[in-house]
Coordinates of all heavy atoms in Angstrom, one line a residue:
M237 N -31.4 -36.2 -3.8 CA -30.4 -35.8 -4.9 C -29.1 -35.8 -4.3 O -28.8 -35.4 -3.1 CB -30.8 -34.3 -5.1 CG -30.0 -33.8 -6.3 SD -30.7 -32.1 -6.6 CE -29.9 -31.7 -8.0
K238 N -28.1 -36.3 -5.0 CA -26.8 -36.3 -4.6 C -26.0 -35.0 -4.7 O -26.4 -34.2 -5.5 CB -26.0 -37.3 -5.4 CG -26.4 -38.8 -5.3 CD -25.9 -39.7 -6.2 CE -24.4 -39.8 -6.1 NZ -23.7 -40.8 -7.0
G239 N -25.2 -34.8 -3.7 CA -24.4 -33.5 -3.7 C -23.3 -33.5 -4.8 O -23.1 -34.6 -5.4
P240 N -22.6 -32.5 -4.9 CA -21.5 -32.5 -5.8 C -20.4 -33.3 -5.4 O -20.0 -33.6 -4.3 CB -21.0 -31.0 -5.8 CG -21.6 -30.4 -4.5 CD -22.7 -31.2 -4.1
T241 N -19.7 -33.9 -6.4 CA -18.6 -34.9 -6.1 C -17.4 -34.1 -5.7 O -17.3 -32.8 -5.8 CB -18.2 -35.7 -7.4 OG1 -17.8 -34.8 -8.4 CG2 -19.5 -36.4 -7.9
K242 N -16.4 -34.9 -5.2 CA -15.1 -34.2 -4.7 C -14.4 -33.5 -5.9 O -13.8 -32.4 -5.8 CB -14.4 -35.3 -4.0 CG -13.2 -34.7 -3.2 CD -12.5 -35.9 -2.5 CE -12.0 -35.5 -1.2 NZ -11.3 -36.5 -0.5
H243 N -14.5 -34.2 -6.9 CA -13.7 -33.6 -8.2 C -14.4 -32.4 -8.6 O -13.7 -31.4 -8.9 CB -13.8 -34.7 -9.3 CG -13.2 -34.2 -10.6 ND1 -11.8 -34.0 -10.7 CD2 -13.8 -33.9 -11.8 CE1 -11.5 -33.5 -12.0 NE2 -12.7 -33.4 -12.6
W244 N -15.7 -32.4 -8.6 CA -16.4 -31.1 -9.0 C -16.1 -29.9 -8.1 O -15.8 -28.8 -8.5 CB -17.9 -31.4 -9.0 CG -18.7 -30.0 -9.2 CD1 -19.4 -29.4 -8.3 CD2 -18.7 -29.2 -10.3 NE1 -19.9 -28.3 -8.7 CE2 -19.5 -28.1 -10.1 CE3 -18.1 -29.3 -11.5 CZ2 -19.8 -27.0 -11.0 CZ3 -18.4 -28.2 -12.5 CH2 -19.1 -27.1 -12.2
R245 N -16.0 -30.2 -6.7 CA -15.7 -29.2 -5.8 C -14.2 -28.6 -5.9 O -14.0 -27.4 -5.9 CB -15.8 -29.7 -4.3 CG -17.3 -29.7 -3.9 CD -17.5 -30.0 -2.5 NE -17.9 -31.4 -2.5 CZ -17.4 -32.3 -1.6 NH1 -16.5 -32.0 -0.8 NH2 -17.8 -33.7 -1.8
R246 N -13.4 -29.5 -6.3 CA -11.8 -29.1 -6.5 C -11.8 -28.3 -7.8 O -11.2 -27.3 -7.8 CB -11.0 -30.4 -6.6 CG -10.6 -30.9 -5.3 CD -9.6 -31.9 -5.4 NE -10.2 -32.9 -6.4 CZ -9.7 -34.2 -6.5 NH1 -8.7 -34.6 -5.8 NH2 -10.2 -35.1 -7.3
V247 N -12.5 -28.6 -8.9 CA -12.6 -27.9 -10.1 C -13.2 -26.6 -9.9 O -12.6 -25.6 -10.3 CB -13.2 -28.7 -11.2 CG1 -13.5 -27.8 -12.4 CG2 -12.5 -29.9 -11.7
R248 N -14.2 -26.6 -9.1 CA -14.9 -25.3 -8.8 C -14.0 -24.3 -8.0 O -13.9 -23.1 -8.3 CB -16.1 -25.5 -8.1 CG -17.0 -24.3 -7.8 CD -18.3 -24.6 -7.0 NE -19.1 -23.5 -6.8 CZ -19.2 -22.9 -5.7 NH1 -18.5 -23.4 -4.6 NH2 -19.9 -21.9 -5.5
Q249 N -13.3 -24.9 -7.0 CA -12.4 -24.1 -6.1 C -11.2 -23.5 -6.9 O -10.8 -22.4 -6.8 CB -11.9 -24.9 -5.0 CG -11.1 -24.2 -4.0 CD -11.9 -23.1 -3.2 OE1 -13.1 -23.3 -3.0 NE2 -11.3 -22.1 -2.9
A250 N -10.7 -24.4 -7.9 CA -9.6 -24.0 -8.6 C -10.0 -22.8 -9.6 O -9.2 -21.9 -9.8 CB -9.1 -25.1 -9.4
A251 N -11.2 -22.9 -10.2 CA -11.7 -21.9 -11.0 C -11.9 -20.6 -10.3 O -11.6 -19.6 -10.8 CB -13.0 -22.3 -11.8
L252 N -12.5 -20.7 -9.1 CA -12.7 -19.5 -8.3 C -11.4 -18.8 -7.9 O -11.2 -17.6 -7.9 CB -13.5 -19.7 -7.1 CG -15.0 -20.0 -7.4 CD1 -15.7 -20.5 -6.1 CD2 -15.7 -18.8 -8.0
D253 N -10.3 -19.6 -7.5 CA -9.0 -19.1 -7.1 C -8.4 -18.4 -8.4 O -7.8 -17.4 -8.2 CB -8.2 -20.2 -6.6 CG -8.6 -20.7 -5.2 OD1 -9.4 -20.0 -4.6 OD2 -8.2 -21.8 -4.9
R254 N -8.6 -19.1 -9.5 CA -7.9 -18.5 -10.7 C -8.6 -17.1 -11.0 O -7.9 -16.2 -11.4 CB -7.9 -19.4 -11.8 CG -7.3 -18.8 -13.1 CD -7.3 -19.8 -14.2 NE -6.8 -19.0 -15.4 CZ -5.8 -19.4 -16.1 NH1 -5.2 -20.5 -15.7 NH2 -5.4 -18.7 -17.0
A255 N -9.8 -17.1 -10.9 CA -10.6 -15.9 -11.3 C -10.2 -14.8 -10.3 O -10.1 -13.6 -10.7 CB -12.2 -16.1 -11.1
C256 N -10.0 -15.2 -9.0 CA -9.5 -14.2 -8.0 C -8.1 -13.7 -8.4 O -7.8 -12.5 -8.3 CB -9.6 -14.8 -6.7 SG -9.3 -13.6 -5.3
R257 N -7.3 -14.6 -8.8 CA -5.8 -14.2 -9.1 C -5.8 -13.4 -10.3 O -5.0 -12.5 -10.5 CB -5.0 -15.4 -9.3 CG -4.4 -16.1 -8.0 CD -3.3 -17.0 -8.3 NE -3.6 -17.9 -9.5 CZ -4.3 -19.2 -9.3 NH1 -4.7 -19.5 -8.2 NH2 -4.4 -19.8 -10.4
E258 N -6.7 -13.7 -11.3 CA -6.6 -12.9 -12.6 C -7.4 -11.6 -12.6 O -7.1 -10.7 -13.3 CB -7.2 -13.9 -13.7 CG -6.4 -15.1 -14.0 CD -5.1 -14.8 -14.6 OE1 -5.0 -13.9 -15.4 OE2 -4.1 -15.6 -14.4
A259 N -8.5 -11.6 -11.9 CA -9.2 -10.3 -11.9 C -9.1 -9.4 -10.7 O -9.2 -8.2 -10.9 CB -10.8 -10.8 -12.0
I260 N -9.0 -10.0 -9.6 CA -9.0 -9.1 -8.2 C -7.6 -8.6 -7.9 O -7.4 -7.5 -7.7 CB -9.6 -9.9 -7.2 CG1 -11.0 -10.4 -7.4 CG2 -9.6 -9.1 -5.8 CD1 -12.0 -9.3 -7.7
E261 N -6.6 -9.5 -7.9 CA -5.3 -9.2 -7.4 C -4.6 -8.1 -8.3 O -3.9 -7.3 -7.7 CB -4.5 -10.5 -7.2 CG -4.9 -11.4 -6.1 CD -4.1 -12.6 -5.9 OE1 -3.2 -12.8 -6.7 OE2 -4.5 -13.4 -5.1
P262 N -4.7 -8.2 -9.6 CA -4.0 -7.1 -10.3 C -4.6 -5.7 -10.1 O -4.0 -4.7 -10.4 CB -4.2 -7.5 -11.8 CG -4.5 -8.9 -11.7 CD -5.2 -9.3 -10.5
L263 N -5.9 -5.6 -9.7 CA -6.5 -4.4 -9.4 C -6.4 -3.9 -8.0 O -7.0 -2.9 -7.6 CB -8.1 -4.5 -9.8 CG -8.2 -4.7 -11.3 CD1 -9.7 -4.9 -11.6 CD2 -7.7 -3.5 -12.1
A264 N -5.7 -4.7 -7.1 CA -5.7 -4.4 -5.7 C -5.0 -3.0 -5.5 O -5.3 -2.3 -4.5 CB -4.8 -5.5 -5.0
P265 N -4.0 -2.6 -6.4 CA -3.3 -1.2 -6.1 C -4.4 -0.1 -6.3 O -4.2 1.1 -5.9 CB -2.3 -1.1 -7.2 CG -1.9 -2.5 -7.4 CD -3.3 -3.4 -7.2
L266 N -5.6 -0.4 -6.9 CA -6.6 0.6 -7.0 C -7.1 1.2 -5.8 O -7.4 2.4 -5.7 CB -7.8 0.0 -7.8 CG -8.8 1.0 -8.4 CD1 -8.1 1.8 -9.4 CD2 -9.9 0.1 -9.0
Y267 N -7.0 0.5 -4.7 CA -7.4 1.0 -3.3 C -6.4 2.0 -2.8 O -6.8 3.0 -2.4 CB -7.4 -0.2 -2.2 CG -8.5 -1.2 -2.5 CD1 -8.2 -2.5 -2.7 CD2 -9.8 -0.9 -2.4 CE1 -9.2 -3.6 -2.9 CE2 -10.9 -1.8 -2.7 CZ -10.5 -3.1 -2.9 OH -11.5 -4.1 -3.0
T268 N -5.2 1.7 -3.0 CA -4.1 2.7 -2.7 C -4.2 4.0 -3.5 O -4.0 5.1 -3.0 CB -2.7 2.1 -2.7 OG1 -2.7 0.9 -2.0 CG2 -1.6 3.0 -2.3
I269 N -4.4 3.8 -4.8 CA -4.5 5.0 -5.7 C -5.7 5.8 -5.3 O -5.6 7.0 -5.3 CB -4.6 4.5 -7.2 CG1 -3.3 3.9 -7.6 CG2 -5.0 5.6 -8.1 CD1 -3.4 3.1 -9.0
H270 N -6.8 5.2 -5.1 CA -8.0 5.9 -4.6 C -7.7 6.7 -3.3 O -8.1 7.8 -3.3 CB -9.1 5.0 -4.4 CG -10.4 5.6 -4.0 ND1 -10.9 5.6 -2.7 CD2 -11.3 6.3 -4.6 CE1 -12.1 6.2 -2.5 NE2 -12.4 6.8 -3.7
A271 N -7.0 6.1 -2.4 CA -6.8 6.7 -1.1 C -5.9 8.0 -1.3 O -6.1 9.0 -0.8 CB -6.2 5.8 -0.1
A272 N -4.8 7.8 -2.1 CA -4.0 8.8 -2.5 C -4.6 10.0 -3.2 O -4.4 11.2 -2.8 CB -2.8 8.4 -3.3
V273 N -5.5 9.7 -4.1 CA -6.2 10.8 -4.8 C -7.2 11.5 -3.9 O -7.2 12.8 -4.0 CB -6.9 10.2 -6.1 CG1 -7.8 11.2 -6.7 CG2 -5.9 9.8 -7.2
C274 N -7.8 10.8 -3.0 CA -8.7 11.5 -2.1 C -8.0 12.4 -1.1 O -8.3 13.6 -0.8 CB -9.5 10.4 -1.2 SG -10.8 9.6 -2.2
V275 N -6.8 11.9 -0.6 CA -6.0 12.7 0.3 C -5.4 13.9 -0.5 O -5.5 15.1 0.1 CB -4.8 11.9 0.9 CG1 -3.8 12.8 1.6 CG2 -5.4 10.9 1.9
F276 N -5.0 13.8 -1.7 CA -4.4 14.8 -2.5 C -5.6 16.0 -2.8 O -5.3 17.2 -2.7 CB -3.9 14.3 -3.8 CG -3.2 15.3 -4.6 CD1 -2.0 15.9 -4.3 CD2 -4.0 16.0 -5.8 CE1 -1.4 16.9 -5.1 CE2 -3.3 17.0 -6.5 CZ -2.1 17.4 -6.2
Y277 N -6.7 15.5 -3.1 CA -7.9 16.4 -3.4 C -8.2 17.0 -2.0 O -8.4 18.3 -2.1 CB -9.1 15.6 -3.9 CG -10.2 16.5 -4.1 CD1 -10.4 17.5 -5.0 CD2 -11.4 16.3 -3.2 CE1 -11.4 18.3 -5.2 CE2 -12.5 17.1 -3.4 CZ -12.4 18.1 -4.4 OH -13.6 18.9 -4.6
L278 N -8.3 16.4 -0.9 CA -8.7 17.1 0.4 C -7.7 18.1 0.7 O -8.1 19.2 1.1 CB -9.0 16.0 1.4 CG -9.5 16.5 2.7 CD1 -10.8 17.1 2.6 CD2 -9.5 15.3 3.7
V279 N -6.4 17.7 0.7 CA -5.4 18.6 1.1 C -5.3 19.9 0.1 O -5.2 21.0 0.6 CB -4.0 17.9 1.1 CG1 -2.9 18.9 1.3 CG2 -4.0 16.9 2.2
G280 N -5.4 19.7 -1.1 CA -5.5 20.7 -2.1 C -6.6 21.7 -1.9 O -6.5 23.0 -1.9
F281 N -7.8 21.0 -1.7 CA -9.1 21.7 -1.5 C -9.0 22.6 -0.3 O -9.3 23.9 -0.3 CB -10.3 20.9 -1.4 CG -11.5 21.5 -1.2 CD1 -12.2 22.3 -2.3 CD2 -12.2 21.6 0.0 CE1 -13.4 22.9 -2.1 CE2 -13.4 22.2 0.2 CZ -14.0 22.8 -0.8
L282 N -8.5 22.1 0.8 CA -8.4 22.8 2.1 C -7.3 24.0 2.0 O -7.5 25.0 2.5 CB -8.1 21.9 3.2 CG -9.2 21.0 3.6 CD1 -8.8 20.0 4.7 CD2 -10.5 21.8 4.1
R283 N -6.2 23.7 1.3 CA -5.2 24.6 1.1 C -5.8 25.8 0.4 O -5.4 27.0 0.7 CB -4.0 24.0 0.3 CG -2.9 24.9 0.1 CD -1.7 24.2 -0.4 NE -0.7 25.2 -0.6 CZ -0.1 25.5 -1.8 NH1 -0.4 24.8 -2.9 NH2 0.9 26.4 -1.8
F284 N -6.5 25.6 -0.7 CA -6.9 26.8 -1.5 C -8.2 27.5 -0.8 O -8.5 28.6 -1.2 CB -7.3 26.3 -2.9 CG -6.1 26.1 -3.7 CD1 -5.8 24.8 -4.3 CD2 -5.2 27.1 -4.0 CE1 -4.7 24.5 -5.0 CE2 -4.0 26.9 -4.8 CZ -3.8 25.7 -5.2
R285 N -8.9 26.8 0.1 CA -10.0 27.4 0.8 C -9.5 28.2 2.0 O -10.1 29.3 2.3 CB -11.0 26.3 1.3 CG -11.8 25.7 0.2 CD -12.7 26.6 -0.4 NE -13.9 26.7 0.4 CZ -14.8 27.6 0.2 NH1 -14.7 28.5 -0.8 NH2 -15.8 27.7 1.0
L286 N -8.4 27.9 2.6 CA -7.9 28.5 3.8 C -7.0 29.5 3.7 O -6.8 30.5 4.4 CB -7.4 27.5 4.8 CG -8.3 26.4 5.3 CD1 -7.5 25.4 6.2 CD2 -9.5 27.0 6.0
F287 N -6.3 29.6 2.5 CA -5.2 30.7 2.2 C -5.7 31.5 1.0 O -6.3 31.0 0.1 CB -3.8 29.9 1.9 CG -3.3 29.2 3.1 CD1 -3.3 27.8 3.1 CD2 -3.0 29.8 4.3 CE1 -2.8 27.0 4.1 CE2 -2.5 29.0 5.4 CZ -2.5 27.6 5.3
D288 N -5.2 32.8 1.0 CA -5.5 33.6 0.0 C -4.3 33.7 -1.0 O -3.2 34.1 -0.7 CB -5.9 35.1 0.6 CG -6.2 35.9 -0.5 OD1 -6.8 35.5 -1.5 OD2 -6.1 37.3 -0.4
Y289 N -4.6 33.4 -2.3 CA -3.5 33.4 -3.3 C -3.7 34.5 -4.3 O -3.3 34.3 -5.4 CB -3.4 32.0 -3.9 CG -2.8 31.0 -3.0 CD1 -3.7 30.1 -2.5 CD2 -1.5 31.0 -2.7 CE1 -3.2 29.1 -1.6 CE2 -0.9 30.0 -1.9 CZ -1.8 29.1 -1.3 OH -1.3 28.1 -0.4
T290 N -4.3 35.5 -4.0 CA -4.6 36.6 -5.1 C -3.4 37.4 -5.4 O -3.3 37.8 -6.5 CB -5.8 37.5 -4.6 OG1 -5.4 38.1 -3.3 CG2 -7.1 36.7 -4.5
I291 N -2.5 37.6 -4.5 CA -1.4 38.5 -4.7 C -0.3 37.7 -5.6 O 0.2 38.2 -6.6 CB -0.8 38.9 -3.3 CG1 -1.8 39.7 -2.5 CG2 0.5 39.7 -3.5 CD1 -1.4 40.0 -1.1
D292 N 0.2 36.6 -5.2 CA 1.2 35.9 -5.9 C 0.8 34.7 -6.8 O 1.3 33.6 -6.7 CB 2.2 35.4 -4.9 CG 1.7 34.4 -3.8 OD1 0.5 34.4 -3.6 OD2 2.4 33.7 -3.2
A293 N -0.4 35.0 -7.5 CA -0.8 33.9 -8.4 C 0.1 33.7 -9.5 O 0.1 34.6 -10.5 CB -2.3 34.2 -8.8
G294 N 0.8 32.6 -9.6 CA 1.7 32.4 -10.7 C 1.4 31.2 -11.4 O 0.4 30.5 -11.2
W295 N 2.4 30.7 -12.2 CA 2.2 29.4 -12.9 C 2.2 28.2 -12.0 O 1.5 27.2 -12.3 CB 3.3 29.2 -14.0 CG 4.7 29.1 -13.4 CD1 5.5 30.1 -13.1 CD2 5.3 27.8 -13.1 NE1 6.7 29.5 -12.6 CE2 6.5 28.2 -12.7 CE3 4.9 26.5 -13.3 CZ2 7.4 27.1 -12.3 CZ3 5.8 25.6 -12.9 CH2 7.1 26.0 -12.4
L296 N 2.9 28.3 -10.9 CA 2.9 27.2 -9.9 C 1.5 27.0 -9.3 O 1.0 25.8 -9.2 CB 4.0 27.4 -8.9 CG 4.2 26.2 -7.9 CD1 4.6 25.0 -8.7 CD2 5.2 26.5 -6.8
I297 N 0.9 28.1 -9.0 CA -0.5 28.0 -8.4 C -1.4 27.5 -9.4 O -2.3 26.7 -9.0 CB -0.9 29.4 -7.8 CG1 0.0 29.9 -6.7 CG2 -2.4 29.3 -7.3 CD1 0.1 29.1 -5.5
A298 N -1.3 27.9 -10.6 CA -2.2 27.4 -11.6 C -2.0 25.9 -11.9 O -3.0 25.2 -12.1 CB -1.9 28.2 -13.0
V299 N -0.9 25.3 -11.8 CA -0.6 23.9 -12.0 C -1.2 23.2 -10.7 O -1.9 22.2 -11.0 CB 1.0 23.6 -12.1 CG1 1.2 22.2 -12.0 CG2 1.5 24.1 -13.4
Q300 N -1.1 23.7 -9.5 CA -1.6 23.1 -8.4 C -3.1 23.1 -8.5 O -3.8 22.1 -8.2 CB -1.1 23.9 -7.2 CG 0.3 23.6 -6.9 CD 0.7 24.5 -5.6 OE1 0.1 25.3 -5.2 NE2 2.0 24.2 -5.2
I301 N -3.8 24.2 -8.9 CA -5.2 24.2 -9.1 C -5.6 23.2 -10.1 O -6.6 22.5 -9.8 CB -5.7 25.7 -9.5 CG1 -5.5 26.6 -8.3 CG2 -7.1 25.6 -9.9 CD1 -5.8 28.0 -8.6
T302 N -4.9 23.0 -11.3 CA -5.2 22.1 -12.3 C -5.2 20.7 -11.7 O -6.1 19.9 -12.0 CB -4.4 22.3 -13.5 OG1 -4.4 23.6 -13.9 CG2 -4.7 21.3 -14.6
L303 N -4.2 20.4 -11.0 CA -4.0 19.1 -10.4 C -5.1 18.8 -9.3 O -5.6 17.6 -9.3 CB -2.6 18.9 -9.8 CG -1.5 18.8 -10.8 CD1 -0.1 18.8 -10.0 CD2 -1.6 17.7 -11.7
V304 N -5.5 19.7 -8.5 CA -6.6 19.5 -7.6 C -7.9 19.3 -8.3 O -8.7 18.5 -7.9 CB -6.6 20.7 -6.6 CG1 -7.9 20.6 -5.7 CG2 -5.4 20.7 -5.7
V305 N -8.2 20.1 -9.4 CA -9.4 19.9 -10.2 C -9.4 18.5 -10.7 O -10.4 17.7 -10.8 CB -9.5 20.9 -11.2 CG1 -10.6 20.6 -12.1 CG2 -9.8 22.3 -10.5
L306 N -8.2 18.0 -11.4 CA -8.2 16.7 -11.8 C -8.4 15.6 -10.8 O -9.1 14.6 -11.1 CB -6.7 16.5 -12.6 CG -6.7 15.5 -13.7 CD1 -6.9 16.3 -15.0 CD2 -5.4 14.8 -13.7
A307 N -7.9 15.9 -9.6 CA -8.1 14.8 -8.6 C -9.5 14.9 -8.2 O -10.2 13.8 -7.9 CB -7.2 15.2 -7.4
G308 N -10.2 16.0 -8.2 CA -11.6 16.1 -7.9 C -12.4 15.4 -8.9 O -13.5 14.8 -8.5
I309 N -12.0 15.4 -10.2 CA -12.7 14.6 -11.2 C -12.5 13.1 -11.0 O -13.5 12.3 -11.2 CB -12.3 15.1 -12.6 CG1 -12.8 16.6 -12.8 CG2 -12.8 14.2 -13.6 CD1 -12.2 17.2 -14.1
L310 N -11.3 12.7 -10.7 CA -11.0 11.3 -10.5 C -11.6 10.6 -9.3 O -11.9 9.4 -9.2 CB -9.5 11.1 -10.4 CG -8.7 11.2 -11.7 CD1 -7.3 11.1 -11.5 CD2 -9.2 10.2 -12.7
V311 N -11.9 11.5 -8.2 CA -12.5 10.8 -7.0 C -13.9 10.1 -7.2 O -13.8 8.9 -6.9 CB -12.6 11.9 -5.8 CG1 -13.5 11.5 -4.7 CG2 -11.3 12.4 -5.4
P312 N -14.8 10.6 -7.8 CA -16.0 9.8 -8.1 C -15.8 8.6 -9.0 O -16.4 7.6 -8.8 CB -17.0 10.8 -8.6 CG -16.3 12.1 -8.9 CD -15.0 12.0 -8.3
I313 N -15.0 8.8 -10.0 CA -14.7 7.6 -10.9 C -14.1 6.6 -10.2 O -14.4 5.4 -10.3 CB -13.8 8.2 -12.1 CG1 -14.6 9.2 -12.9 CG2 -13.4 7.0 -13.0 CD1 -13.8 10.0 -14.0
L314 N -13.0 6.9 -9.5 CA -12.3 5.8 -8.7 C -13.2 5.3 -7.6 O -13.0 4.0 -7.3 CB -11.0 6.4 -8.1 CG -9.9 6.7 -9.1 CD1 -8.6 7.3 -8.4 CD2 -9.5 5.4 -9.9
T315 N -14.0 6.0 -7.0 CA -14.9 5.5 -5.9 C -15.8 4.5 -6.5 O -16.0 3.3 -5.8 CB -15.7 6.7 -5.3 OG1 -14.8 7.6 -4.8 CG2 -16.7 6.2 -4.2
G316 N -16.3 4.6 -7.7 CA -17.2 3.7 -8.4 C -16.4 2.4 -8.6 O -16.9 1.3 -8.4
S317 N -15.2 2.6 -9.1 CA -14.3 1.5 -9.4 C -14.0 0.6 -8.2 O -13.9 -0.6 -8.2 CB -13.1 1.9 -10.1 OG -13.4 2.6 -11.3
V318 N -13.6 1.3 -7.1 CA -13.3 0.7 -5.8 C -14.5 -0.1 -5.3 O -14.3 -1.2 -4.8 CB -12.8 1.7 -4.8 CG1 -12.6 1.1 -3.4 CG2 -11.3 2.1 -5.3
F319 N -15.7 0.5 -5.3 CA -16.9 -0.2 -4.8 C -17.0 -1.4 -5.7 O -17.5 -2.5 -5.1 CB -18.1 0.7 -4.9 CG -18.1 1.7 -3.7 CD1 -18.8 2.9 -3.8 CD2 -17.7 1.3 -2.4 CE1 -18.9 3.7 -2.7 CE2 -17.8 2.2 -1.3 CZ -18.4 3.4 -1.5
T320 N -17.0 -1.3 -6.9 CA -17.3 -2.5 -7.8 C -16.3 -3.6 -7.5 O -16.6 -4.7 -7.5 CB -17.2 -2.0 -9.3 OG1 -18.1 -1.0 -9.5 CG2 -17.5 -3.2 -10.2
L321 N -15.0 -3.2 -7.4 CA -14.0 -4.1 -7.1 C -14.2 -4.8 -5.7 O -14.0 -6.1 -5.6 CB -12.6 -3.5 -7.2 CG -11.4 -4.4 -6.8 CD1 -11.3 -5.5 -7.8 CD2 -10.2 -3.5 -6.8
H322 N -14.6 -4.1 -4.8 CA -14.8 -4.6 -3.4 C -16.0 -5.6 -3.4 O -15.9 -6.7 -2.8 CB -15.2 -3.5 -2.4 CG -15.5 -3.9 -1.0 ND1 -14.6 -4.4 -0.2 CD2 -16.7 -3.9 -0.4 CE1 -15.2 -4.7 0.9 NE2 -16.5 -4.4 0.8
F323 N -17.1 -5.3 -4.0 CA -18.2 -6.2 -4.0 C -18.0 -7.4 -4.9 O -18.4 -8.5 -4.5 CB -19.5 -5.4 -4.5 CG -20.0 -4.4 -3.5 CD1 -20.3 -3.1 -3.9 CD2 -20.2 -4.7 -2.2 CE1 -20.7 -2.2 -3.1 CE2 -20.6 -3.7 -1.4 CZ -20.9 -2.4 -1.8
F324 N -17.3 -7.3 -6.0 CA -17.0 -8.4 -6.8 C -16.0 -9.4 -6.0 O -16.2 -10.6 -6.0 CB -16.3 -7.9 -8.1 CG -16.0 -9.1 -9.0 CD1 -17.0 -9.8 -9.6 CD2 -14.7 -9.4 -9.4 CE1 -16.7 -10.8 -10.4 CE2 -14.4 -10.4 -10.3 CZ -15.4 -11.1 -10.8
S325 N -15.0 -8.8 -5.3 CA -14.1 -9.7 -4.5 C -14.8 -10.3 -3.4 O -14.5 -11.5 -3.1 CB -12.9 -8.8 -4.1 OG -13.2 -7.9 -3.1
R326 N -15.8 -9.7 -2.8 CA -16.5 -10.3 -1.7 C -17.4 -11.4 -2.2 O -17.4 -12.4 -1.5 CB -17.3 -9.2 -0.9 CG -16.4 -8.2 -0.1 CD -17.2 -7.6 1.0 NE -17.8 -8.5 1.8 CZ -18.9 -8.1 2.6 NH1 -19.3 -6.9 2.6 NH2 -19.5 -9.0 3.4
R327 N -17.9 -11.1 -3.3 CA -18.8 -12.2 -4.0 C -18.0 -13.4 -4.3 O -18.4 -14.6 -4.0 CB -19.4 -11.6 -5.2 CG -20.2 -12.5 -6.0 CD -21.6 -12.8 -5.4 NE -22.3 -13.7 -6.3 CZ -23.5 -14.1 -6.1 NH1 -24.2 -13.8 -5.0 NH2 -24.0 -15.0 -6.9
L328 N -16.8 -13.2 -4.8 CA -16.0 -14.3 -5.2 C -15.5 -15.0 -3.9 O -15.4 -16.4 -3.9 CB -14.7 -13.9 -5.9 CG -14.9 -13.8 -7.4 CD1 -13.5 -13.3 -8.1 CD2 -15.1 -15.2 -8.0
Q329 N -15.2 -14.3 -2.8 CA -14.8 -14.9 -1.6 C -16.0 -15.7 -1.0 O -15.7 -16.8 -0.5 CB -14.3 -13.9 -0.6 CG -13.0 -13.3 -0.9 CD -11.9 -14.4 -0.8 OE1 -12.0 -15.3 -0.1 NE2 -10.8 -14.1 -1.5
R330 N -17.2 -15.2 -1.1 CA -18.2 -16.0 -0.6 C -18.5 -17.3 -1.4 O -18.8 -18.3 -0.7 CB -19.5 -15.1 -0.6 CG -20.6 -15.5 0.3 CD -21.8 -14.5 0.5 NE -21.3 -13.2 0.2 CZ -22.0 -12.3 -0.6 NH1 -23.1 -12.8 -1.3 NH2 -21.7 -11.1 -0.9
L331 N -18.4 -17.2 -2.6 CA -18.5 -18.4 -3.5 C -17.4 -19.4 -3.1 O -17.7 -20.6 -3.1 CB -18.5 -18.0 -5.0 CG -19.7 -17.4 -5.5 CD1 -19.4 -16.9 -7.0 CD2 -21.0 -18.3 -5.5
A332 N -16.2 -18.9 -2.9 CA -15.1 -19.8 -2.6 C -15.2 -20.5 -1.2 O -14.9 -21.6 -1.1 CB -13.8 -19.1 -2.7
N333 N -15.9 -19.8 -0.3 CA -16.1 -20.4 1.0 C -17.3 -21.3 1.1 O -17.3 -22.1 2.0 CB -16.3 -19.3 2.0 CG -14.9 -18.5 2.3 OD1 -13.9 -18.9 2.0 ND2 -15.1 -17.2 2.7
D334 N -18.1 -21.3 0.1 CA -19.3 -22.3 0.2 C -18.9 -23.7 -0.1 O -18.0 -24.1 -0.7 CB -20.3 -21.9 -0.8 CG -21.1 -20.7 -0.4 OD1 -21.0 -20.4 0.8 OD2 -21.8 -20.0 -1.2

């Protein structure tokens, strides 16, 4: 059986490169967003666990607690998205290197 022609390999490589540019590169900031949300959640969680805010609980503390809770909700959602993006990009890279 004959192998793929040179033209077919170039078309395949161009299609894989375009898929990478169109699908992977626009979602690359998701890694940075995920890291920032994780750090924000960790810092907020540790801050509220280590310090006592029962005396001066005001609206600023309520806003901070709300933001930390929101970050806590976003962490697992973004983790799934980052894992999916990572595995998809590795799969495309493996296909492109073949």
Side-chain angles (χ1 to χ4, degrees):
M237 182 177 195
K238 292 173 61 175
T241 64
K242 193 177 215 181
H243 177 69
W244 169 250
R245 280 186 260 134
R246 283 189 302 198
V247 168
R248 182 176 182 262
Q249 185 67 32
L252 289 171
D253 287 342
R254 182 178 173 125
C256 189
R257 277 194 318 269
E258 295 290 323
I260 302 298
E261 290 175 8
L263 295 175
L266 195 61
Y267 294 119
T268 307
I269 293 168
H270 179 257
V273 167
C274 287
V275 167
F276 183 78
Y277 176 69
L278 184 63
V279 168
F281 178 76
L282 290 176
R283 180 171 180 241
F284 287 116
R285 289 293 281 171
L286 297 177
F287 299 110
D288 186 24
Y289 289 104
T290 57
I291 298 170
D292 59 339
W295 65 273
L296 186 60
I297 300 297
V299 169
Q300 290 174 350
I301 289 173
T302 305
L303 290 175
V304 170
V305 167
L306 205 94
I309 292 169
L310 284 176
V311 166
I313 295 169
L314 289 175
T315 301
S317 300
V318 165
F319 280 147
T320 303
L321 178 63
H322 175 72
F323 291 128
F324 184 66
S325 68
R326 289 200 55 200
R327 174 79 177 180
L328 273 177
Q329 288 295 337
R330 201 171 334 131
L331 284 173
N333 291 336
D334 288 344

